[in-house]
Amino acid sequence: MSDFPEDIYTEPDFDANTLNNLGPLARLAGIWEGQRGLDVKPKAAGPKKQAYVERIELQPIDPQTNGPQLYYGLRYHLHVTKPEQVKTYHDQVGYWLWEPATGTVIQTLTIPRGLTAMAAGQAESGADSFELVATHGSDTFGICAAPFLEYAFKTLEYRIRITFNEDGSWSYDQDTVLQIQGQDEPFNHTDRNTLYKVADAPPNPLARPAE
């Protein structure tokens, strides 16, 4: 039996203003910068700690429907460099989505190394923290990579925890569990940073005043 309705075509009513309907994602909207990121990554000689700085833009999109299903969300672009450098250290794009009917939060992510993932978790509308997980081999909230990454650095699990801080900033702790070729034990590739707002997000296109 499925929890989904028999009518898979009829769309629900929705509020045009996404910023008012983002649930636990509301405090993510805007443009943010973080200066004290820490990446623990795998190297041939062993784990290496790397400081980084990042900028992330999270902009509201118009409400999205899959027949009766309704999402409100943010489109994001994350750009990371090493301190005092120009060359990109990490680049990532995707969506943060909130499904009010089920309390589900989804993050999609794509990086230009041949990897994409979709992570999900449950959260209350005003939650101060929440955690999302994607698992290798899952048909739904899973991970897909190009052949070399599957061979050399297979991602077994991706997990991210978001925490909203009292000063208006937000932090993330991220753990990407890798099975590295030639190693018996999985490697926990971790990233963490705290982001501070530098600009507000504009309304989604449908909610903007007509010109």
Side-chain angles (χ1 to χ4, degrees):
M1 294 293 292
S2 171
D3 293 332
F4 301 120
E6 291 186 8
D7 179 359
I8 61 172
Y9 296 102
T10 302
E11 296 181 357
D13 295 331
F14 58 83
D15 185 345
N17 192 325
T18 293
L19 288 173
N20 291 340
N21 294 276
L22 285 169
L25 303 180
R27 285 179 278 182
L28 291 180
I31 301 175
W32 307 79
E33 293 181 352
Q35 304 298 322
R36 302 188 65 181
L38 178 63
D39 175 29
V40 181
K41 60 184 178 179
K43 288 291 185 180
K48 179 182 178 180
K49 294 182 178 180
Q50 173 63 59
Y52 63 87
V53 298
E54 71 181 290
R55 178 183 173 93
I56 181 168
E57 299 189 13
L58 293 120
Q59 307 286 4
I61 59 174
D62 287 341
Q64 302 292 305
T65 58
N66 296 317
Q69 188 177 43
L70 172 63
Y71 287 121
Y72 294 96
L74 299 164
R75 180 182 62 251
Y76 74 90
H77 176 217
L78 184 158
H79 184 252
V80 178
T81 61
K82 296 178 183 179
E84 311 301 327
Q85 291 192 15
V86 175
K87 181 180 180 294
T88 298
Y89 182 55
H90 180 77
D91 195 87
Q92 182 175 314
V93 296
Y95 294 92
W96 284 93
L97 302 172
W98 163 243
E99 186 179 22
T102 64
T104 302
V105 178
I106 296 174
Q107 183 199 23
T108 69
L109 66 92
T110 302
I111 61 174
R113 295 179 178 178
L115 186 143
T116 187
M118 182 183 296
Q122 298 297 120
E124 299 291 335
S125 180
D128 290 327
S129 65
F130 53 85
E131 185 173 84
L132 312 183
V133 180
T135 306
H136 187 277
S138 173
D139 289 335
T140 52
F141 299 118
I143 299 159
C144 183
F148 174 76
L149 290 183
E150 279 289 292
Y151 163 76
F153 301 97
K154 179 184 290 187
T155 301
L156 302 179
E157 181 182 270
Y158 164 81
R159 183 180 299 266
I160 184 169
R161 184 170 187 83
I162 302 293
T163 302
F164 297 106
N165 305 314
E166 292 185 359
D167 64 359
S169 66
W170 58 276
S171 305
Y172 66 84
D173 283 281
Q174 184 175 300
D175 185 8
T176 305
V177 182
L178 304 174
Q179 185 63 61
I180 300 174
Q181 176 66 21
Q183 296 188 11
D184 294 331
E185 297 297 324
F187 181 90
N188 293 86
H189 179 184
T190 61
D191 298 275
R192 59 178 54 91
N193 205 355
T194 296
L195 290 302
Y196 296 87
K197 183 179 280 190
V198 297
D200 292 330
N204 54 292
L206 189 60
R208 296 172 191 171
E211 297 182 357

